[in-house]
Amino acid sequence: MSKIAIVYWSGTGNTEAMADLVAQGVRAKGGEADIITAAEFGPERVDDYDAFAFGCPAMGDEELEDMEFLPMYDAVEPLLEGRRVALFGSYDWNDGEWMELWEQRAEAAGLSVVDSVIAKDYPDDEASADCMRLGTLIAG
């Protein structure tokens, strides 16, 4: 059974809802899912998990939240080389470029990105199904 860390930051609750849906997908596949806020996760916890789903909404000019999420992600990314990772998050403006940039960054760091999901605002039915599918993928 896979043990998955679902690590997220959410300002409005949209990305938090996505994290819950990813966890449902992990559990539907028979995996164990721990939902953890970015403030509660760090390098010391990486070895406790088989794979990771990271969630962060687009902030500012299509970038990751830089007070809690980005410092945590900067600290753990070097420890994730070769590990399976899924990325997710919500946005309200622009077109989701932050996710493309994040995927490129993760792949350049040697992470095995299984897939990513974005939702415009709160996840609608399609985005909800995509989040659950993402959970099944990361659970292996």
Side-chain angles (χ1 to χ4, degrees), residues 101-134:
L101 297 172
W102 191 9
E103 287 176 355
Q104 292 168 5
R105 172 189 168 157
E107 289 169 354
L111 282 60
S112 177
V113 180
V114 299
D115 205 354
S116 66
V117 171
I118 62 174
K120 175 115 171 70
D121 299 317
Y122 194 85
D124 60 12
D125 289 346
E126 181 180 348
S128 294
D130 287 343
C131 287
M132 291 185 68
R133 179 190 53 78
L134 189 67

